[in-house]
Amino acid sequence: MRNTLAIAWREVRTYFTSPLAYVVIGVFLLISGYIFWASLVRFSQLCLSYGNNPYYMNLLNVNDMVIRPLFGTMGIFLLLMIPAVSMRVLAEERKSGTAELLFTCPLTTAQVVLGKFLGAAFLLLAMIGGTMTFPAIILSKANPDLKPTLVGYLGILLMGLAFLGIGVLISAMTENQIVAAVGAFGAFLMFMVINWAAEAVSSVTLSGLFNKLSLGLWEKAGLGLGGPSLGDLLNQISITEHSKDFYKGVLDTRHIVYYLSVIFMSLFLTQRVIESQKWR
Amino acid sequence: MIEANGLSKVYGARAVVDGVTFSVGKGEILGFLGPNGAGKTTTMRILTGFVPPTRGTARVAGFDVLRDPIEVKRRIGYLPEHPPLYREMLVRPYLNFVATIRGVPRRDIKSRVDRAIERCGLGQVAGRLIGLLSKGYQQRVGLAQAILHEPEVLILDEPTVGLDPSQIRDIRALIKGFAGDHTVILSTHILAEVTMTCTRVLIINEGRIAAQDSLEALAARGEKTRRIALRLARPTDAVEPRLRGLPGVLAVTRDPGGDGAWLVESDGARDVREEIAALAVGQGWGLLEMRPLTLSLEEIFIRIIRGEAA
Ligand SMILES: Nc1ncnc2c1ncn2[C@@H]1O[C@H](COP(=O)(O)OP(=O)(O)OP(=O)(O)O)[C@@H](O)[C@H]1O
Ligand SMILES: [Mg+2]
């Protein structure tokens, strides 16, 4: 644990002694602040125009009109900005030769991977934490239901950590930081859009697919052709599907489990990738 | 302390290290010599557990590098070929970080780091950014990181590269001082360094051990025949046949360059200098100079690398 934290802490110091942390946090706050401001202005204009009509007034809700779009856009920005952080996590160690220090110290690969991940997670936390000032502004003037905001933040944080895990995994596979960044970006996008085809393949069941692959043996073995469809599977993998509920303020453990397993799997695979690289 | 047994490392289809077997005892300083690309760095990386061997085993302080990597790494200090430095860190925080991950107890970190800074002459730059230090100072930081936890085994890949002469002398003294209770392996291209610091030499060529010996034995290899240079004040025609007549003398040639200079080659097992001196005095040749010619380490090294029987 001490080793993991030492690596994480060193990583954090590096972020904050280089422009990286300031640029990433600054740009993130600037753009999400702008979106927040824009939707807040629109909301207050609507309130002014329809404020005396009780029917419309009931439809106007600060959580739906300001907070939820804020989380939606933050999700997109994370998609764009996390590759810039994750690309260097392991690729940089390899390039500067410091990997030779880490892997000849009495540390396990898992400790190194976890330490690097936690360091980057701290930066993510600072990015997201900075935006908490926006809801605080609303809170100082009004009294909205807080639960959607808190749940939304949990969702954003989990999504960011999942992206980071995937990014670290890709960073472990290459020494080239550009390749690591583009690869991470592609992987995130894929995770977001993979459910787009869900509708189209909703009639294909998984067991049917296995049946075809096994040349009919599946059916003969009496395993059945019903069950979940390929479309369901794609929906289950998709990050988009799992983030929606959080932004609505609905806390569902299934989604939390999903994110935690993505994080765990990517860190586990990172450890395997590093171990296997030694043998080349 | 270190035992390597049939170590091989294959990259692609090429065996970069090929069946290397050696052992180093406690307190020894072993020098790795070899031309570029011989496999020195690769061998050291295997010993430190950075790359696993394709075949063979290596043990450090009784622990196998593959089976107990953590135990091995606990006992090793390693300076890689390219010092593993975080350029954006200051020297002292960097050393603190390394001390932590090397497992130095928290309360000892400050004193160990202070000692390493002092031993490597880093006092003046302890608060500077590593990336802005000169090459030699970066090398010293690399060395400090290798010794700060007082490891039982020190593995140094070209430790004196880029250092100034006075620092080289200090670092060599440091390495020698270390060897008392510690074991050191160092690689180098500077042959004089081997003469000055090492107790034993291992010459690697194309992944194989070409020679493995103490320095004296290695020097003696060049001496299957001894060569003696003579200079006489009043040589006569009888010099050559008379010298040749001495038991053990194999060949006598007149040095074309020098006036009255001769080169005598004799059997390596036999020192004929006394007989030559007695003969020269007895004949009144006027013996001015007599000196044994030994092969320099460079010559021995090149002969061994070329595979010539020295
Ligand atoms: N990761 C790798 N993949 C492929 N080949 C490698 C790898 N590492 C080293 N080699 C090759 O192994 C050979 C031996 O390299 P090594 O670095 O051990 O030599 P060396 O004796 O340290 O040389 P030098 O004196 O130049 O430092 C070289 O030909 C090198 O190209
Ligand atoms: Mg080398």
Coordinates of all heavy atoms in Angstrom, one line a residue, chain A residues 148-204:
Chain A
P148 N -30.4 14.4 -7.5 CA -30.0 14.2 -8.9 C -28.6 14.7 -9.1 O -27.8 14.2 -9.9 CB -31.0 15.0 -9.7 CG -32.2 15.2 -8.9 CD -31.7 15.2 -7.5
T149 N -28.2 15.9 -8.5 CA -26.9 16.4 -8.7 C -25.8 15.4 -8.1 O -24.8 15.1 -8.8 CB -26.8 17.7 -7.9 OG1 -27.9 18.6 -8.2 CG2 -25.5 18.4 -8.3
L150 N -26.1 14.9 -6.9 CA -25.1 14.0 -6.3 C -25.0 12.7 -7.1 O -23.9 12.3 -7.4 CB -25.5 13.8 -4.8 CG -25.4 15.0 -4.0 CD1 -25.8 14.7 -2.5 CD2 -24.0 15.6 -4.0
V151 N -26.1 12.2 -7.5 CA -26.1 10.9 -8.2 C -25.4 11.2 -9.6 O -24.6 10.4 -10.0 CB -27.5 10.4 -8.4 CG1 -27.5 9.2 -9.4 CG2 -28.1 10.0 -7.1
G152 N -25.7 12.3 -10.2 CA -25.1 12.7 -11.5 C -23.6 12.7 -11.3 O -22.8 12.2 -12.2
Y153 N -23.1 13.3 -10.2 CA -21.6 13.4 -10.0 C -21.0 12.0 -9.9 O -19.9 11.8 -10.4 CB -21.3 14.3 -8.8 CG -21.0 15.7 -9.3 CD1 -21.9 16.8 -9.0 CD2 -19.9 16.0 -10.0 CE1 -21.7 18.0 -9.4 CE2 -19.7 17.3 -10.5 CZ -20.6 18.3 -10.2 OH -20.3 19.6 -10.6
L154 N -21.7 11.2 -9.1 CA -21.2 9.8 -9.0 C -21.1 9.2 -10.4 O -20.1 8.5 -10.7 CB -22.1 9.0 -8.1 CG -21.7 7.6 -7.9 CD1 -20.4 7.5 -7.1 CD2 -22.8 6.8 -7.1
G155 N -22.1 9.4 -11.2 CA -22.1 8.8 -12.5 C -20.9 9.3 -13.4 O -20.2 8.5 -14.0
I156 N -20.7 10.6 -13.3 CA -19.6 11.2 -14.1 C -18.3 10.7 -13.6 O -17.4 10.3 -14.4 CB -19.7 12.7 -14.0 CG1 -20.7 13.3 -14.9 CG2 -18.3 13.4 -14.2 CD1 -20.3 13.2 -16.4
L157 N -18.1 10.6 -12.3 CA -16.9 10.1 -11.7 C -16.6 8.7 -12.2 O -15.5 8.3 -12.6 CB -16.9 10.2 -10.2 CG -15.6 9.8 -9.5 CD1 -14.5 10.8 -9.9 CD2 -15.8 9.8 -8.0
L158 N -17.6 7.8 -12.0 CA -17.5 6.4 -12.4 C -17.1 6.3 -13.9 O -16.2 5.5 -14.3 CB -18.7 5.6 -12.1 CG -18.9 5.3 -10.6 CD1 -20.3 4.7 -10.4 CD2 -17.8 4.4 -10.1
M159 N -17.8 7.1 -14.7 CA -17.5 7.0 -16.1 C -16.1 7.5 -16.4 O -15.4 6.8 -17.2 CB -18.5 7.9 -16.9 CG -18.3 7.8 -18.4 SD -19.7 8.4 -19.3 CE -19.3 10.1 -19.5
G160 N -15.7 8.6 -15.7 CA -14.3 9.0 -15.9 C -13.3 8.0 -15.5 O -12.3 7.7 -16.2
L161 N -13.5 7.3 -14.4 CA -12.6 6.3 -13.9 C -12.6 5.1 -14.9 O -11.5 4.5 -15.2 CB -13.0 5.8 -12.5 CG -12.8 6.8 -11.4 CD1 -13.3 6.3 -10.1 CD2 -11.3 7.2 -11.3
A162 N -13.7 4.8 -15.5 CA -13.8 3.7 -16.4 C -13.0 4.0 -17.7 O -12.1 3.2 -18.2 CB -15.2 3.3 -16.8
F163 N -13.2 5.3 -18.2 CA -12.4 5.7 -19.3 C -10.9 5.7 -19.0 O -10.1 5.3 -19.8 CB -12.7 7.2 -19.6 CG -14.0 7.3 -20.5 CD1 -14.6 8.6 -20.6 CD2 -14.5 6.3 -21.2 CE1 -15.8 8.7 -21.4 CE2 -15.7 6.4 -21.9 CZ -16.3 7.6 -22.0
L164 N -10.6 6.1 -17.8 CA -9.2 6.2 -17.4 C -8.6 4.8 -17.4 O -7.4 4.6 -17.8 CB -9.1 6.8 -16.0 CG -7.8 7.5 -15.6 CD1 -7.5 8.6 -16.6 CD2 -8.0 8.1 -14.2
G165 N -9.3 3.8 -16.8 CA -8.9 2.4 -16.8 C -8.6 1.9 -18.2 O -7.5 1.4 -18.5
I166 N -9.5 2.2 -19.1 CA -9.3 1.7 -20.5 C -8.1 2.5 -21.1 O -7.3 1.9 -21.8 CB -10.6 2.0 -21.3 CG1 -11.8 1.3 -20.7 CG2 -10.4 1.7 -22.8 CD1 -13.1 1.7 -21.3
G167 N -8.0 3.8 -20.8 CA -6.8 4.5 -21.3 C -5.5 4.0 -20.8 O -4.5 3.9 -21.6
V168 N -5.5 3.6 -19.5 CA -4.2 3.1 -19.0 C -3.9 1.8 -19.7 O -2.7 1.5 -20.0 CB -4.4 2.9 -17.4 CG1 -3.2 2.1 -16.9 CG2 -4.4 4.3 -16.7
L169 N -4.9 1.0 -19.9 CA -4.6 -0.3 -20.6 C -4.0 -0.1 -22.0 O -3.0 -0.7 -22.3 CB -6.0 -1.1 -20.7 CG -5.9 -2.3 -21.6 CD1 -5.0 -3.3 -21.0 CD2 -7.3 -2.9 -21.7
I170 N -4.6 0.9 -22.7 CA -4.0 1.2 -24.0 C -2.6 1.8 -23.9 O -1.8 1.5 -24.7 CB -5.0 2.0 -24.8 CG1 -6.2 1.1 -25.1 CG2 -4.4 2.6 -26.1 CD1 -7.4 1.8 -25.7
S171 N -2.4 2.6 -22.9 CA -1.1 3.2 -22.7 C 0.0 2.1 -22.4 O 1.1 2.3 -22.7 CB -1.2 4.2 -21.6 OG 0.1 4.5 -21.1
A172 N -0.5 1.0 -21.8 CA 0.5 -0.1 -21.5 C 0.9 -0.8 -22.8 O 1.9 -1.5 -22.8 CB -0.1 -1.0 -20.5
M173 N 0.1 -0.7 -23.8 CA 0.4 -1.5 -25.0 C 1.3 -0.8 -26.0 O 1.8 -1.5 -26.9 CB -1.0 -1.8 -25.8 CG -1.9 -2.6 -24.9 SD -3.2 -3.2 -26.0 CE -4.6 -3.0 -25.0
T174 N 1.6 0.4 -25.8 CA 2.4 1.1 -26.8 C 3.4 2.1 -26.1 O 3.1 2.6 -25.0 CB 1.6 1.9 -27.8 OG1 2.5 2.7 -28.6 CG2 0.6 2.8 -27.2
E175 N 4.5 2.3 -26.8 CA 5.5 3.3 -26.2 C 5.2 4.7 -26.8 O 5.6 5.7 -26.3 CB 6.9 2.9 -26.7 CG 8.0 3.4 -25.8 CD 9.3 2.7 -26.1 OE1 9.3 1.5 -26.0 OE2 10.2 3.4 -26.4
N176 N 4.4 4.7 -27.9 CA 4.1 5.9 -28.6 C 2.8 6.6 -28.0 O 1.8 6.1 -28.0 CB 3.8 5.6 -30.1 CG 3.7 6.8 -31.0 OD1 3.0 7.8 -30.5 ND2 4.2 6.7 -32.1
Q177 N 3.0 7.8 -27.5 CA 2.0 8.5 -26.8 C 0.8 8.9 -27.7 O -0.3 8.9 -27.3 CB 2.5 9.7 -26.1 CG 3.6 9.3 -25.1 CD 3.8 10.3 -24.0 OE1 3.1 11.3 -23.9 NE2 4.9 10.1 -23.3
I178 N 1.1 9.2 -29.0 CA 0.1 9.6 -29.9 C -0.8 8.4 -30.2 O -2.1 8.4 -30.2 CB 0.6 10.1 -31.3 CG1 1.6 11.3 -31.0 CG2 -0.5 10.5 -32.2 CD1 1.0 12.5 -30.5
V179 N -0.2 7.2 -30.4 CA -0.9 6.0 -30.6 C -1.8 5.7 -29.4 O -3.0 5.3 -29.5 CB 0.0 4.8 -30.9 CG1 -0.7 3.5 -30.9 CG2 0.8 5.0 -32.2
A180 N -1.2 5.9 -28.2 CA -2.0 5.6 -27.0 C -3.2 6.6 -26.9 O -4.3 6.1 -26.5 CB -1.1 5.8 -25.7
A181 N -3.0 7.8 -27.3 CA -4.1 8.8 -27.2 C -5.2 8.4 -28.2 O -6.4 8.4 -27.8 CB -3.6 10.2 -27.4
V182 N -4.8 8.2 -29.4 CA -5.8 7.9 -30.5 C -6.5 6.6 -30.2 O -7.7 6.5 -30.3 CB -5.1 7.9 -31.9 CG1 -6.1 7.5 -32.9 CG2 -4.6 9.3 -32.2
G183 N -5.7 5.6 -29.7 CA -6.3 4.3 -29.4 C -7.3 4.5 -28.3 O -8.4 3.9 -28.3
A184 N -7.0 5.3 -27.2 CA -7.9 5.4 -26.1 C -9.2 6.1 -26.6 O -10.3 5.7 -26.2 CB -7.3 6.2 -25.0
F185 N -9.0 7.2 -27.4 CA -10.1 7.9 -27.9 C -11.1 7.0 -28.7 O -12.3 7.0 -28.5 CB -9.6 9.0 -28.8 CG -10.7 9.9 -29.3 CD1 -11.4 10.7 -28.4 CD2 -11.0 10.0 -30.7 CE1 -12.4 11.5 -28.9 CE2 -12.0 10.8 -31.1 CZ -12.7 11.6 -30.3
G186 N -10.5 6.2 -29.6 CA -11.3 5.2 -30.3 C -12.0 4.3 -29.5 O -13.2 4.0 -29.7
A187 N -11.3 3.8 -28.4 CA -12.0 2.8 -27.6 C -13.1 3.4 -26.8 O -14.2 2.8 -26.7 CB -11.0 2.2 -26.6
F188 N -13.0 4.6 -26.3 CA -14.1 5.3 -25.6 C -15.3 5.5 -26.5 O -16.4 5.2 -26.1 CB -13.6 6.7 -25.1 CG -12.5 6.7 -24.2 CD1 -11.9 7.9 -23.8 CD2 -12.0 5.6 -23.6 CE1 -10.8 8.0 -23.0 CE2 -10.9 5.6 -22.7 CZ -10.3 6.8 -22.4
L189 N -15.0 6.0 -27.7 CA -16.1 6.2 -28.7 C -16.8 4.9 -28.9 O -18.1 4.9 -28.9 CB -15.5 6.7 -30.0 CG -15.5 8.3 -30.1 CD1 -15.0 8.6 -31.5 CD2 -16.9 8.9 -29.9
M190 N -16.1 3.8 -29.1 CA -16.7 2.6 -29.4 C -17.6 2.2 -28.2 O -18.7 1.7 -28.4 CB -15.6 1.5 -29.6 CG -16.0 0.2 -30.3 SD -16.6 0.6 -31.9 CE -17.9 -0.6 -32.1
F191 N -17.1 2.4 -27.0 CA -17.9 2.0 -25.8 C -19.2 2.9 -25.8 O -20.2 2.5 -25.2 CB -17.1 2.3 -24.5 CG -16.5 1.0 -24.0 CD1 -15.2 0.7 -24.3 CD2 -17.2 0.2 -23.2 CE1 -14.6 -0.5 -23.8 CE2 -16.7 -1.0 -22.7 CZ -15.4 -1.3 -23.0
M192 N -19.1 4.1 -26.3 CA -20.3 5.0 -26.3 C -21.3 4.6 -27.4 O -22.5 4.7 -27.2 CB -19.9 6.4 -26.4 CG -19.1 6.9 -25.2 SD -19.2 8.7 -25.1 CE -20.3 8.9 -23.8
V193 N -20.8 4.2 -28.6 CA -21.7 4.1 -29.7 C -22.1 2.6 -29.9 O -22.9 2.3 -30.9 CB -21.2 4.7 -31.0 CG1 -20.8 6.1 -30.8 CG2 -19.9 3.9 -31.5
I194 N -21.5 1.7 -29.2 CA -21.7 0.3 -29.5 C -23.2 -0.1 -29.5 O -23.6 -1.1 -30.2 CB -20.8 -0.6 -28.6 CG1 -20.7 -2.0 -29.2 CG2 -21.4 -0.7 -27.2 CD1 -19.5 -2.8 -28.7
N195 N -24.0 0.6 -28.8 CA -25.4 0.2 -28.7 C -26.2 0.7 -29.9 O -27.4 0.5 -29.9 CB -26.0 0.7 -27.4 CG -26.0 2.2 -27.2 OD1 -25.1 2.8 -27.8 ND2 -26.9 2.7 -26.5
W196 N -25.6 1.5 -30.7 CA -26.4 2.0 -31.9 C -26.9 0.9 -32.8 O -28.0 1.1 -33.4 CB -25.5 3.0 -32.7 CG -25.3 4.3 -32.0 CD1 -25.4 4.5 -30.7 CD2 -24.9 5.5 -32.6 NE1 -25.1 5.8 -30.4 CE2 -24.8 6.5 -31.6 CE3 -24.5 5.9 -33.9 CZ2 -24.4 7.8 -31.8 CZ3 -24.2 7.2 -34.1 CH2 -24.1 8.2 -33.1
A197 N -26.2 -0.2 -32.8 CA -26.7 -1.3 -33.6 C -27.6 -2.2 -32.9 O -28.1 -3.2 -33.4 CB -25.5 -2.1 -34.2
A198 N -27.9 -1.9 -31.6 CA -28.6 -2.8 -30.7 C -30.0 -3.1 -31.3 O -30.5 -4.2 -31.4 CB -28.8 -2.2 -29.3
E199 N -30.6 -2.0 -31.8 CA -32.0 -2.1 -32.4 C -32.0 -3.1 -33.6 O -32.8 -4.0 -33.6 CB -32.4 -0.7 -32.9 CG -33.9 -0.5 -33.1 CD -34.6 -0.5 -31.7 OE1 -33.9 -0.1 -30.7 OE2 -35.8 -0.8 -31.6
A200 N -31.0 -2.9 -34.4 CA -30.9 -3.7 -35.6 C -30.7 -5.2 -35.4 O -31.2 -6.0 -36.1 CB -29.8 -3.2 -36.5
V201 N -30.0 -5.5 -34.3 CA -29.7 -6.9 -34.0 C -30.5 -7.5 -32.9 O -30.2 -8.5 -32.3 CB -28.2 -7.2 -33.8 CG1 -27.4 -6.8 -35.0 CG2 -27.7 -6.3 -32.6
S202 N -31.6 -6.8 -32.6 CA -32.4 -7.2 -31.4 C -33.0 -8.5 -31.6 O -33.5 -9.2 -30.7 CB -33.4 -6.1 -31.0 OG -34.2 -5.9 -32.1
S203 N -33.2 -9.0 -32.9 CA -33.8 -10.2 -33.1 C -32.9 -11.4 -33.1 O -33.3 -12.6 -33.1 CB -34.5 -10.2 -34.5 OG -33.6 -9.9 -35.5
V204 N -31.6 -11.1 -33.1 CA -30.6 -12.2 -33.1 C -30.3 -12.6 -31.6 O -29.9 -11.7 -30.8 CB -29.2 -11.7 -33.7 CG1 -28.2 -12.9 -33.7 CG2 -29.5 -11.2 -35.1

